Amino acid sequence: MLAPLLLVVAAGATSIAAGPATAQPAAKPRPLGQVVPAPASVSEGGPSYALSDKTRIRVDDDSNEAHRIGAYLADVLRPSTGYALPVTNRDAKDGIRLRLSSDRSLGAEGYRLQSGRYGVTITAARAAGLFHGVQTLRQLLPAAVEKDTRQQGPWKVVGGTIEDVPRYGYRGAMLDVSRHFFTVDQVKRYIDQMALYKINKLHLHLSDDQGWRIAIESWPRLATYGGSTQVGGGPGGYYSKADYKEIVRHASSRYLEVVPEIDLPGHTNAALASYAELNCDGIAPPLYTGTEVGFSSLCVPKAVTYRFLDDVVRELAALTPGKYLHIGGDEAHSTSHEDYVTFMDRAQAIVGKYGKKVMGWHQLAGARPVEGAVAQYWGYDATSAAEKAKVVDAAKEGTKLVLSPADRAYLDMKYNKDTPLGLSWAGLVEVQRSYDWNPQTYLPGVPDGSVLGVEAPLWSETLSTNDHIEFMAFPRLPGIAELGWSPTATHDWDAYKVRLGAQGPRLAALGIDFYRSSQVPWAAR
Ligand code: TNX
């Protein structure tokens, strides 16, 4: 089943790399396998389909969601092609068809894409699969299709069939909105970029020493005071509940689940500054705008700490349709181990009380993870064997893992010593290093089935604009997305770098400011 894919990818390698920069748009459509993340199986053959001014987008008449996805696809394609692309449920001979079927083999997120002389049909069992299939279709068209002004065609899709289901159900990206605040529109822009690569979780790091970013009615000063600054002393900001709901709504329209994080019991200076009673000594510290970590802690023995926690978790859980609530738990260097364990027991119970699954950074493994808890591993090559062993032992006991190794998946690590943004505590992380690892074997000894997937965190100590986000996330985020989506058999840097190179003109057409790594043979168009 996989052999055709590897062949197609290899063929793509020659045609893309050989294309001279000045050539006119080629009439030959791009190979079916030239997609990131690599599809599970590809078989190319038969006539290609050319979009035209007669093309319609047909959807099953009884699904609102399929209609919405059809309208979304039309919005992507209309400006560049100039075609009307009506979305219709009437039978049309020629066109793009979005079809929900009862084919269980496609699972919750998989899809089948078939293209031939009369059109392209995307079939899925669930709407999320149609949406992912639409992302694949975008990549099968010339990169200029992503531009927002009229472009020269032809707009051809090569003939053949893709059958595609994800390797992992958890394919995440995290944005730190605490160290620097990002507006609702900025978060939505990043969501749209994640969706291109079939990412399905948005983890929002909503609180840290430098800022509390979500309105909590029962503790209003958390946001109004605790959210009033950021690293470097800028004005900060926070999401009202309506803002937050808008982020959740937009994410779910892109088939992403939002995973909110309140980092506890360390990384809490913004909360401690907002309410004196949360401090063991009853004295509120000043707001913090530096970048040190590990100096703050909630007061574990005080009863008020758990009233605060209950209120925050209750209000946040009520805003969260997704199943996870992330309680941080990293770098609690100012909390004794005994206090840490006590605190995490209580915090996990509160998350359970409000119907959510606990997620925490992997230090949770050194406490007492509750049944069903998910630990997010963020160690790196230099992490001690003892620390890794705690995580592996927890996995053996049933704790599930999401992998975010800092020297692979951290999008805030510098690419090389000259990268103007980012940090380097876990090392320099070029594009190949970021891609070239296997989530299943990364922590030896972890039982099969423990790994739920991968996540690429973006910490924002040094990042404050869209360009900053995009320069650090691209092109590493597509590589992490591929590790989460594609079968291991497709894993091959030499093939991947060519497929990634083909994303260059596409990212440029979308106005994404990406790092043009010299490791990647960037296509000219
Ligand atoms: C470590 S990763 C942290 C964050 C920093 C990040 C910077 C983690 C769970 N904690 O507080 O922002 O490094 O790379």
Side-chain angles (χ1 to χ4, degrees):
M1 194 163 101
L2 292 161
L5 165 70
L6 299 174
L7 283 176
V8 166
V9 170
T14 39
S15 66
I16 294 277
T22 51
Q24 288 304 301
K28 191 178 180 319
R30 60 199 53 237
L32 267 193
Q34 195 81 61
V35 174
V36 177
S41 100
V42 173
S43 77
E44 204 170 288
S48 55
Y49 174 64
L51 269 71
S52 73
D53 54 4
K54 302 205 177 48
T55 299
R56 291 163 177 270
I57 298 177
R58 297 164 49 201
V59 294
D60 288 353
D61 40 0
D62 50 356
S63 163
N64 286 333
E65 265 189 284
H67 268 273
R68 214 167 27 76
I69 295 167
Y72 162 93
L73 175 60
D75 284 345
V76 171
L77 302 180
R78 278 179 192 138
S80 53
T81 63
Y83 302 146
L85 299 168
V87 180
T88 165
N89 47 28
R90 268 187 303 143
D91 228 17
K93 189 164 157 240
D94 176 292
I96 297 168
R97 182 166 178 212
L98 304 182
R99 221 183 114 236
L100 284 170
S101 89
S102 53
D103 183 347
R104 290 293 183 83
S105 72
L106 298 169
E109 295 191 289
Y111 66 92
R112 181 183 308 116
L113 183 150
Q114 294 157 293
S115 59
R117 187 181 317 281
Y118 297 110
V120 177
T121 298
I122 300 172
T123 307
R126 305 278 293 275
L130 289 182
F131 184 79
H132 296 320
V134 160
Q135 303 311 321
T136 294
L137 175 57
R138 291 169 75 167
Q139 290 192 31
L140 297 175
L141 288 160
V145 83
E146 299 295 347
K147 294 197 175 161
D148 57 12
T149 54
R150 181 89 183 251
Q151 305 293 314
Q152 179 76 49
W155 307 106
K156 283 191 184 174
V157 179
V158 76
T161 300
I162 292 178
E163 293 228 5
D164 207 6
V165 291
R167 178 181 183 187
Y168 293 114
Y170 193 113
R171 305 180 307 278
M174 188 207 82
L175 184 63
D176 172 7
V177 296
S178 177
R179 271 52 176 273
H180 280 97
F181 180 66
F182 295 96
T183 64
V184 172
D185 282 344
Q186 287 178 304
V187 176
K188 285 163 102 174
R189 180 176 165 89
Y190 195 37
I191 288 170
D192 287 351
Q193 294 167 356
M194 292 173 198
L196 295 169
Y197 298 100
K198 306 184 173 78
I199 296 278
N200 70 351
K201 304 280 185 270
L202 167 65
H203 170 181
L204 281 176
H205 185 74
L206 289 169
S207 72
D208 212 303
D209 292 317
Q210 298 87 345
W212 185 285
R213 306 299 180 202
I214 177 75
I216 299 293
E217 273 157 46
S218 46
W219 297 74
R221 269 175 66 81
L222 290 170
T224 57
Y225 182 69
S228 66
T229 192
Q230 59 187 359
V231 167
Y238 65 89
Y239 306 121
S240 67
K241 290 198 172 177
D243 290 338
Y244 189 78
K245 285 182 186 158
E246 176 58 14
I247 292 173
V248 169
R249 188 203 59 76
H250 188 77
S252 83
S253 79
R254 292 347 181 207
Y255 297 90
L256 277 96
E257 174 179 344
V258 175
V259 179
E261 178 189 354
I262 298 296
D263 202 348
L264 305 163
H267 290 277
T268 43
N269 189 77
L272 296 167
S274 304
Y275 288 96
E277 64 263 43
L278 292 176
N279 296 269
C280 282
D281 62 6
I283 299 168
L287 293 169
Y288 182 68
T289 61
T291 60
E292 295 298 313
V293 297
F295 60 87
S296 57
S297 178
L298 290 173
C299 186
V300 173
K302 269 190 168 178
V304 66
T305 297
Y306 306 97
R307 288 204 296 280
F308 158 83
L309 203 55
D310 196 282
D311 288 336
V312 168
V313 171
R314 175 173 44 78
E315 292 194 32
L316 194 54
L319 290 172
T320 302
K323 61 177 178 224
Y324 298 107
L325 205 146
H326 199 305
I327 53 173
D330 58 312
E331 297 173 323
H333 306 321
S334 302
T335 318
S336 70
H337 179 68
E338 198 191 351
D339 274 1
Y340 180 79
V341 174
T342 304
F343 179 86
M344 291 310 260
D345 279 350
R346 296 199 60 175
Q348 293 181 93
I350 292 170
V351 170
K353 171 178 164 194
Y354 291 108
K356 297 297 172 191
K357 247 184 197 295
V358 170
M359 214 167 149
W361 296 105
H362 76 251
Q363 280 70 18
L364 175 64
R368 290 189 282 248
V370 292
E371 193 170 338
V374 177
Q376 184 171 5
Y377 183 72
W378 62 283
Y380 61 125
D381 281 359
T383 297
S384 72
E387 188 170 339
K388 286 179 183 158
K390 275 186 202 161
V391 178
V392 173
D393 287 347
K396 287 179 177 158
E397 298 286 315
T399 296
K400 302 289 188 215
L401 303 179
V402 167
L403 295 185
S404 304
D407 53 354
R408 308 283 184 165
Y410 267 34
L411 301 176
D412 64 315
M413 290 299 120
K414 290 177 183 290
Y415 294 99
N416 60 52
K417 65 177 177 23
D418 299 323
T419 305
L421 303 164
L423 306 174
S424 56
W425 63 263
L428 302 170
V429 183
E430 251 294 356
V431 179
Q432 179 173 4
R433 182 167 176 76
S434 175
Y435 165 82
D436 233 347
W437 58 286
N438 182 347
Q440 193 55 54
T441 55
Y442 186 80
L443 282 175
V446 162
D448 277 356
S450 299
V451 176
L452 298 182
V454 291
E455 183 178 295
L458 185 52
W459 300 99
S460 65
E461 285 93 334
T462 65
L463 315 176
S464 58
T465 68
N466 291 341
D467 276 359
H468 292 168
I469 292 176
E470 290 160 22
F471 185 78
M472 298 309 277
F474 293 94
R476 289 179 293 196
L477 181 62
I480 301 299
E482 172 146 328
L483 292 178
W485 180 280
S486 307
T488 337
T490 65
H491 191 93
D492 174 16
W493 165 253
D494 287 327
Y496 174 68
K497 72 180 180 191
V498 176
R499 281 184 291 111
L500 181 60
Q503 298 296 310
R506 204 162 290 279
L507 295 173
L510 286 161
I512 296 175
D513 174 31
F514 65 101
Y515 164 60
R516 290 184 172 268
S517 169
S518 61
Q519 296 183 326
V520 179
W522 296 107
R525 62 189 157 67

